[in-house]
Amino acid sequence: MSIMEMQAMEVNTTTAEPLYNSTSGDLLASNYSLAPNTPINQNVSLHQASLGSCSQDFSLFSSEIESPSMAGGSALLQLAPDNSTGLNTTFGSTNLSGIFFPPQLNGTVNETAAPELPDPLGGLLDEAMLDEISLMDLAIEEGFNPVQASQLEEEFDSDSGLSLDSGHSPASLSSSEASSSSSSSSSSSSSSSSSFSEEGAVGYSSDSENVDFEEAEGAVGYQPEYSKFCRMSYQDPSQLHYLPYLEHVGHNHTYNMAPGTLDPEEPKLPSAGKKSSKEKPSEFLDKQMSRDEHRARAMKIPFTNDKIINLPVEEFNELLSKYQLSEAQLSLIRDIRRRGKNKMAAQNCRKRKLDTILNLERDVEDLQRDKSKLLREKVEFLKSIRQMKQKVQNLYQEVFGRLRDENGQPYSPSQYALQYGTDGSVLLIPRAAAATEQPARRQDRKQKDRRK
DNA sequence: ACTCCATGTCATCGG
DNA sequence: AGCCGATGACATGGA
């Protein structure tokens, strides 16, 4: 309704108050009735006007029409409404000529309308049309199209709006995968094969104690959702049992390493058997080991890389204190611990980043749905406004066409127009006056008209 | 040969 | 001051 009011104001500069004060969207749809306290008045020029034969079935106004003689020279024709509540409306001081003056009326009356007279209602309707056009332009411009709208409408109809189908949500899928991953990683401790297991778990598994995965898990606190982006090895935990040895195959990151720490057993040549099927078992096991594991073995570190990496600080220091280790060994152990922890941190960081992207994409989808829904609602509102305006126009024609002057003649729509008063009255005023009247002078005009 | 992707690693920052 | 996690940047190797 505010849109309509604004549009009406754009056309009728004299409009100062809401045309309607109704919360009902179909305020004019039920019938053309006025609330009991909204009499329609005519100004003095209609002091002998009558509604003629319209009283019997004219639902807008009751047949109770103030007698011209009763009003005397300053007749204020009161068109008492019936008691219908269909239009519980307070008519403001609105120039009805601007809103209601029907363009068709110009051709239906005997008197010729002035050519300079505007066609306000038609303008309003055109404006509404323009609104829709501009809306559609906007919609198309921003990715909204009727096909999409219809699809969305079906979607909303079936899905009650914006909530995403959790069954289709990557989050739900990924969360289940995440849980399975978690259980997988925790249950794979005996095999030491999870990609979460880190180097220590993979490296010395053949000749050292099993990995304590409870500790390892304690170090990995983040259990993010698995997303569609997660094409990393831990996306499908079930595969981790079969492919752990591939995790570090061929990776030969030797930068930042002191030459003396290079593991002689570490495979350095890219041509050294790319096909695992042709490798000896010892080479196969070697390739399961990370570089740090090779280094640790070369430096004869007496405990697993997994412990080096995952033990709490106190236990780690306690472990170191139990052995007599050279400075090179201690340095390597510290590097192994640092790299191992950072490797886990990097994995978690990447998973977090992917999840963030996924969540943002879902947010974008939600917002796009919101936007599409609002656009469709706007279209519907504009349609409703257009229909209401049409009904108002019809009402205006009907009311105006049934008014009669003292001679029983209809009023010329080119010379007279209906106008709302601030007190809820409706005045019939000369068109020239209606066109030039300023809101500030409205009361004066009313008085002046009454004196006519 | 080249690109893309996953991963490891380092440097750095902030708690 | 040192530890530690987070993260950007870079390197590396596989597909």
Side-chain angles (χ1 to χ4, degrees):
Chain A
M1 291 308 298
S2 344
I3 296 172
M4 186 176 180
E5 291 159 15
M6 292 175 64
Q7 289 171 338
M9 290 176 69
E10 289 172 5
V11 175
N12 301 285
T13 56
T14 60
T15 301
E17 297 185 18
L19 180 56
Y20 305 111
N21 188 21
S22 170
T23 57
S24 171
D26 56 350
L27 73 170
L28 289 175
S30 56
N31 55 50
Y32 297 136
S33 303
L34 293 179
N37 294 327
T38 58
I40 296 179
N41 303 318
Q42 285 180 258
N43 65 8
V44 67
S45 65
L46 290 178
H47 69 281
Q48 287 185 343
S50 70
L51 284 175
S53 61
C54 70
S55 60
Q56 66 275 15
D57 59 350
F58 188 27
S59 61
L60 173 62
F61 308 119
S62 76
S63 58
E64 264 186 321
I65 301 174
E66 198 173 358
S67 168
S69 60
M70 177 180 162
S74 61
L76 181 63
L77 178 62
Q78 288 229 342
L79 303 178
D82 61 19
N83 289 330
S84 170
T85 58
L87 183 61
N88 187 10
T89 298
T90 299
F91 287 96
S93 178
T94 303
N95 188 348
L96 286 171
S97 68
I99 300 174
F100 291 160
F101 191 69
Q104 297 90 328
L105 213 55
N106 295 340
T108 59
V109 295
N110 296 332
E111 302 181 30
T112 305
E116 68 274 13
L117 285 176
D119 189 1
L121 188 54
L124 276 176
L125 295 177
D126 290 343
E127 198 167 345
M129 300 280 282
L130 286 175
D131 279 347
E132 289 198 35
I133 292 172
S134 62
L135 170 64
M136 295 311 292
D137 288 343
L138 174 68
I140 293 171
E141 181 180 327
E142 304 194 13
F144 177 80
N145 58 69
V147 176
Q148 182 191 12
S150 62
Q151 292 173 345
L152 286 170
E153 190 161 12
E154 294 174 5
E155 193 174 339
F156 287 127
D157 289 341
S158 62
D159 197 15
S160 72
L162 304 176
S163 63
L164 289 172
D165 185 357
S166 60
H168 299 156
S169 168
S172 62
L173 174 64
S174 60
S175 62
S176 62
E177 290 178 357
S179 61
S180 66
S181 165
S182 176
S183 61
S184 170
S185 62
S186 60
S187 62
S188 62
S189 59
S190 59
S191 62
S192 304
S193 58
S194 168
S195 66
F196 285 119
S197 66
E198 303 308 324
E199 295 160 340
V202 177
Y204 284 149
S205 59
S206 61
D207 57 357
S208 64
E209 68 270 29
N210 288 336
V211 178
D212 188 346
F213 262 81
E214 283 70 29
E215 294 173 0
E217 278 200 320
V220 183
Y222 182 69
Q223 294 290 342
E225 299 173 328
Y226 287 86
S227 70
K228 61 186 178 184
F229 299 104
C230 289
R231 286 170 287 185
M232 292 168 277
S233 61
Y234 39 75
Q235 182 178 3
D236 186 355
S238 63
Q239 299 179 358
L240 299 179
H241 296 281
Y242 305 99
L243 302 174
Y245 54 86
L246 294 179
E247 185 182 15
H248 305 292
V249 166
H251 285 231
N252 185 19
H253 299 186
T254 57
Y255 51 83
N256 205 31
M257 273 187 61
T261 61
L262 280 175
D263 188 348
E265 300 179 30
E266 186 172 358
K268 296 170 190 161
L269 298 177
S271 59
K274 278 191 174 181
K275 304 295 181 182
S276 61
S277 60
K278 296 181 179 178
E279 294 170 354
K280 297 177 182 177
S282 60
E283 293 173 339
F284 183 83
L285 290 175
D286 284 346
K287 289 200 169 186
Q288 295 183 54
M289 296 163 55
S290 68
R291 293 177 299 131
D292 276 340
E293 285 161 350
H294 282 285
R295 294 169 197 152
R297 176 185 280 185
M299 295 288 288
K300 305 202 184 313
I301 304 298
F303 30 81
T304 66
N305 281 26
D306 183 72
K307 284 198 169 187
I308 293 173
I309 295 167
N310 296 312
L311 278 180
V313 179
E314 291 183 4
E315 295 182 38
F316 175 67
N317 291 330
E318 190 177 342
L319 182 67
L320 292 184
S321 65
K322 290 179 182 176
Y323 297 89
Q324 284 287 79
L325 299 168
S326 66
E327 193 57 40
Q329 283 177 313
L330 289 173
S331 176
L332 176 61
I333 288 171
R334 281 192 291 268
D335 284 345
I336 288 172
R337 184 174 174 88
R338 176 179 49 80
R339 281 193 288 263
K341 286 192 172 297
N342 186 247
K343 187 167 77 174
M344 289 187 293
Q347 289 170 349
N348 290 335
C349 181
R350 284 164 178 147
K351 282 185 277 188
R352 257 194 308 272
K353 185 186 289 184
L354 292 174
D355 283 343
T356 300
I357 293 172
L358 192 67
N359 288 331
L360 288 173
E361 285 195 344
R362 280 202 293 265
D363 290 346
V364 169
E365 290 177 6
D366 290 346
L367 290 172
Q368 285 175 340
R369 291 186 188 205
D370 287 348
K371 181 181 175 183
S372 297
K373 184 184 179 184
L374 291 172
L375 285 172
R376 284 190 289 107
E377 287 178 354
K378 183 179 179 183
V379 169
E380 292 302 315
F381 286 141
L382 288 173
K383 285 181 183 176
S384 177
I385 288 170
R386 187 171 54 181
Q387 291 172 355
M388 285 190 288
K389 285 180 179 176
Q390 182 62 45
K391 289 175 181 175
V392 169
Q393 173 188 334
N394 295 338
L395 176 63
Y396 183 98
Q397 290 184 40
E398 191 168 0
V399 171
F400 193 89
R402 292 175 184 237
L403 291 176
R404 295 293 183 270
D405 60 13
E406 60 272 19
N407 299 323
Q409 297 299 314
Y411 288 96
S412 168
S414 61
Q415 296 178 355
Y416 294 95
L418 296 177
Q419 184 188 31
Y420 291 126
T422 54
D423 56 353
S425 63
V426 176
L427 306 178
L428 181 66
I429 60 173
R431 182 165 276 284
T436 59
E437 186 180 27
Q438 298 299 321
R441 301 177 182 174
R442 193 169 299 150
Q443 194 61 31
D444 296 340
R445 171 69 60 187
K446 195 180 295 180
Q447 300 300 330
K448 182 179 179 181
D449 289 341
R450 283 174 179 168
R451 288 195 298 272
K452 280 187 181 177

